[in-house]
Amino acid sequence: MNYPLRFSPFLRPMVWGGRRLGDVLGKTLPTGEAYGESWEVSDHPQHRSVVAGGPLQGRTLQELMREHRRELLGTAAEKYTTFPWLIKFLDAGDWLSVQVHPDEEAVRWLWPGEGSKTEAWYVVDAAPGSRVYAGLRPGVGPARLLAAVKAGNVTECLHSFEPRPGDCVFLPAGTVHAVGGGVLMAEVQQTSDATFRLFDWDRKDAEGRSRTLHLAESLACVHWTSGPVAPVRAEAGRGETVLVECPYFRLEHLLRAEPFRCGGAGRLQAVIVVAGRGRWRFPGGEEAFAAGETWVLPASLPAGECRPEGPVTLLAATLPE
């Protein structure tokens, strides 16, 4: 655990996806399908990430959690039996379903065995006319939302905005949300795949079938008083801006062009490379990094240096103690 860890991406075709995971972020898309997700770091049963290089190449994140949990997570190790984050890139070429994720209380009785799902999106690129729906408009309650779903006009109940690169959208569990129309983004979330679909745009698959909706479960999860969600942006000209601070992660935006110290903090971090390239230098070795990659910095990692090769934009997630 004396050097940064990178994992092989797990690429998922999705009906709402596109090709920008390859075209913009450099992922190798194995088929000509539309790909919606690249799972960068995952300890979820649906996919266990595998170390892509170095002495631990071929080991799964689950194995590292079992054998090196204290080194990975530091003082927070006692709180987690699985790695605390699922980190992704998403290409929302078409519309994701209107959905909601359960919190800790709701997931226990709606989806036993899964975890709660609070998440944050960072917009890497956005096509003109794309849209983010995040949170209910004031005054919307269960009866009005359900009626709108059945009438096919659910968006009338949702707060929305046209996203711009650099927007960060924090979505606590219980927030109704959707995105689409050409949005490429990075996502940091709790380790969970608990998603309830409220509306799916009357979409049909090749056989004319609709995807399953979860109306009762969705309505049971919604936090009705949380209201609209507005994006947060990095402050212009600042090298470091805190975008999200919650019990599950702290998310910072870093804009750097000169070498800077990293690691050695005694807490788990993950660094998502949004733009640019450079090198990590640590006592355990040296690694090159580039846009579209995600690196895990274990809590036990000795202090080292990040050496940008020109301006770099990074997202740094830190695990609270």
Side-chain angles (χ1 to χ4, degrees), residues 40-64:
E40 300 287 294
V41 181
S42 170
D43 193 24
H44 191 274
Q46 189 167 342
H47 174 71
R48 310 284 190 184
S49 289
V50 177
V51 179
L56 295 173
Q57 183 173 359
R59 304 293 298 278
T60 67
L61 183 53
Q62 183 184 43
E63 291 172 328
L64 300 187

Side-chain angles (χ1 to χ4, degrees), residues 91 105 151 191 204 253 257 274 276 317:
D91 180 7
E105 180 180 353
T191 297
K204 302 289 191 298
H253 178 276
V274 176

Side-chain angles (χ1 to χ4, degrees), residues 98-115:
V98 179
Q99 56 192 234
V100 62
H101 307 305
D103 61 18
E104 286 86 348
E105 180 180 353
V107 79
R108 282 197 293 269
W109 58 280
L110 288 172
W111 201 323
E114 257 292 6

Side-chain angles (χ1 to χ4, degrees), residues 43 67 113 127 153 188 206 252 276 278:
D43 193 24
E67 300 168 16
N153 56 10
V188 179
E252 296 172 271

